[in-house]
Amino acid sequence: MHLFYLPAASQNVKNFNKHALVDLIRFAGRGVARTDIAQELGLTRASVTIIINNLIESGIILETESRSTRSGRPPVVLDINPKSGLAAAIDMGSTHLSVALGDFSAHILEEMEQPFRIADGPDRCLEEGHQALKSVLEKRGLQIKDLSAVGLSVPGPVIADTGTVMAPPIMPGWDRFPIRATLENLWELPVALNNDANFGALGEWVYGAGRAERNLAFIKVGSGIGAGLIINRQIFGGTTGSAGEIGHLTIDENGPLCSCGNRGCLEAFAGGHAIELQAQKLVESGKRTLLTESNVTKITVREVAEAARRGDLAAQEILHRSGTFIGIAVAGLINLVNPSVVIIGGGVAEVGELLTAPIRKVVRERSLRAAEHAVKITTAMLGRRSTLIGAMVQATNVAIHNMIERKPAWTKSHAKPKQLMGNHNNKEVVISTEETKTL
């Protein structure tokens, strides 16, 4: 069985078994019996007992009654001890900032969302994230020092080794800015950095529509479009961590200009900004549509969706066209990766069947039969929170495994991170403290 924790070359077998056992408990979705653990990990009951007793003494796991509805006395099972620590998650989107506080079972204790502009650059955005995190913690009478780790999502290709983004199309000014090092030194905590689609895939894999699937693809349709891939129960990040940029597949080389500088990208045809632009042009053309009733200067995707639900044919056509283009890209992805489930998430995906129906239709027409017949296409069960929940899962992952290793919560980086609100015009790549590269 593939588990999230992968051992370093110097990792001893005993410690690895401890990490593997904890991951098995965490992602089972319910409590796990001791006998099941021994069978899954291929260990003797005596070995499992020693490891479990050690983890219980450390406060990482606990024994509890099964939540099974079967009659009779519920069996005693093992679960993560939610009181063993706290973690936080921050989702920095193109136009929103979400922050959550959770325990080690990834249960959300506090949450907030506010308007945000990723285009304002790293200095201002990271400062806003810092202040929002402090605000959420203050609601519980807590401080940043009470956390064990923070998960941070950004809408750009993350270079895992350096904790930066490289040439992010919708993040002007962020290129190679040392995001992870800056925040780790500010908060004195480990920061798990990844892009929004990867964290969305993780959130849906653990708690949503892709629960326990071996291979899945999460397509986040927001202002931009990206894909998070889980292959053999591990996030596939590619060589540098920037895999899944499905939004920049070329649909038409003579198509509209994309934010990445190329023409005819999927994102330029079907992303949130593209949908809003099409709606605005529709209104300006004078064509009869419910969208003309809008009193705002800029039409949003939500207004397009509402008009479509009310039977507006022009609005429905915009969403149908976007779904068709996304379906073309998804069909190619299905042929390439052969996932068992494709989850459509992100803010735009909240329109539901108006978007997913044309996606399914195109996939049936364009995917190879061998791949298409085995795949389920569905919307995100966690809605807009998929990415935030995924960031929380990863934050608790880092914190729990550090706790198992008895590592300090944070070790000062030798890198020289840039200060918030400071000058970041140079292109220095700063490497921060080492972070677990798997989930």
Side-chain angles (χ1 to χ4, degrees):
M1 179 179 181
H2 292 283
L3 297 172
F4 285 96
Y5 184 83
L6 295 180
S10 58
Q11 180 78 59
N12 64 56
V13 173
K14 181 179 178 181
N15 261 7
F16 172 62
N17 287 336
K18 193 181 295 185
H19 289 286
L21 187 150
V22 167
D23 276 339
L24 180 61
I25 293 172
R26 290 179 68 211
F27 301 117
R30 63 190 189 287
V32 182
R34 292 174 182 246
T35 52
D36 294 334
I37 291 173
Q39 183 176 358
E40 284 286 343
L41 299 182
L43 300 174
T44 65
R45 291 192 181 186
S47 297
V48 167
T49 297
I50 292 172
I51 296 172
I52 288 173
N53 290 343
N54 181 271
L55 290 170
I56 291 175
E57 290 172 7
S58 301
I60 298 173
I61 65 173
L62 50 73
E63 290 185 310
T64 183
E65 288 188 346
S66 171
R67 294 185 289 272
S68 172
T69 58
R70 295 174 184 173
S71 59
R73 183 176 178 180
V76 174
V77 294
L78 297 162
D79 218 333
I80 294 296
N81 180 3
K83 298 181 180 179
S84 55
L86 296 169
I90 301 176
D91 175 19
M92 289 185 177
S94 175
T95 58
H96 76 275
L97 173 70
S98 300
V99 180
L101 168 69
D103 59 28
F104 270 18
S105 66
H107 174 69
I108 302 298
L109 305 174
E110 291 287 346
E111 184 178 354
M112 61 84 72
E113 182 174 327
Q114 66 187 44
F116 181 76
R117 272 176 45 87
I118 198 71
D120 286 340
D123 290 333
R124 181 169 178 176
C125 289
L126 294 183
E127 178 64 23
E128 286 185 38
H130 173 62
Q131 295 301 328
L133 176 59
K134 287 172 59 179
S135 177
V136 167
L137 291 170
E138 286 169 2
K139 292 180 181 179
R140 291 269 172 163
L142 300 169
Q143 301 177 44
I144 290 176
K145 66 180 181 180
D146 296 312
L147 298 174
S148 297
V150 178
L152 174 63
S153 162
V154 294
V158 171
I159 310 303
D161 290 342
T162 61
T164 66
V165 289
M166 182 174 289
I170 62 173
M171 297 174 66
W174 289 79
D175 184 33
R176 306 190 191 189
F177 183 91
I179 301 170
R180 189 172 62 210
T182 297
L183 293 179
E184 283 186 340
N185 282 274
L186 173 66
W187 294 334
E188 299 189 354
L189 291 170
V191 173
L193 176 69
N194 214 322
N195 71 55
D196 51 3
N198 280 344
F199 274 152
L202 177 57
E204 290 293 327
W205 187 88
V206 178
Y207 294 114
R211 192 161 191 159
E213 295 286 346
R214 182 174 293 274
N215 302 297
L216 72 83
F218 176 83
I219 313 298
K220 182 170 185 182
V221 188
S223 298
I225 302 176
L229 305 174
I230 291 182
I231 299 176
N232 285 333
R233 296 177 179 165
Q234 299 289 333
I235 279 185
F236 179 75
T239 302
T240 60
S242 61
E245 289 296 328
I246 192 174
H248 299 288
L249 291 177
T250 300
I251 300 296
D252 179 357
E253 62 183 13
N254 297 314
L257 185 66
C258 181
S259 59
C260 70
N262 290 327
R263 285 195 171 274
C265 293
L266 172 63
E267 193 170 292
F269 280 106
H273 286 319
I275 291 173
E276 292 167 354
L277 181 61
Q278 291 172 56
Q280 194 68 44
K281 288 181 177 179
L282 181 69
V283 171
E284 292 171 357
S285 72
K287 187 173 181 179
R288 186 177 180 182
T289 170
L290 293 175
L291 293 170
T292 57
E293 298 176 4
S294 175
N295 295 320
V296 297
T297 56
K298 185 178 184 298
I299 297 174
T300 67
V301 171
R302 288 188 178 184
E303 288 168 321
V304 176
E306 180 58 28
R309 291 191 188 101
R310 291 170 61 190
D312 187 276
L313 295 178
Q316 290 175 356
E317 177 57 30
I318 290 174
L319 295 174
H320 185 276
R321 189 184 306 117
S322 293
T324 299
F325 285 126
I326 294 170
I328 292 171
V330 169
L333 181 66
I334 289 171
N335 287 342
L336 184 66
V337 179
N338 191 204
S340 56
V341 61
V342 173
I343 303 166
I344 312 298
V348 177
E350 291 184 329
V351 305
E353 285 296 303
L354 291 170
L355 187 74
T356 54
I359 292 175
R360 291 193 187 98
K361 180 177 183 295
V362 174
V363 165
R364 285 195 302 269
E365 294 171 350
R366 292 176 176 263
S367 294
L368 292 174
R369 180 62 180 162
E372 182 272 328
H373 87 282
V375 68
K376 177 176 70 172
I377 299 175
T378 185
T379 53
M381 186 178 294
L382 302 178
R384 287 171 58 89
R385 301 171 78 232
S386 302
T387 294
L388 186 67
I389 297 299
M392 180 65 71
V393 171
Q394 182 68 339
T396 56
N397 181 67
V398 171
I400 289 173
H401 287 300
N402 280 347
M403 191 174 176
I404 292 172
E405 289 288 315
R406 291 184 170 85
K407 288 182 179 179
W410 178 81
T411 303
K412 189 173 181 63
S413 171
H414 294 296
K416 295 181 179 179
K418 299 167 187 177
Q419 299 298 314
L420 294 184
M421 311 306 291
N423 180 19
H424 61 274
N425 290 326
N426 62 354
K427 300 297 182 182
E428 176 189 10
V429 176
V430 181
I431 300 176
S432 79
T433 49
E434 183 178 357
E435 177 189 333
T436 305
K437 295 179 183 177
T438 54
L439 295 183

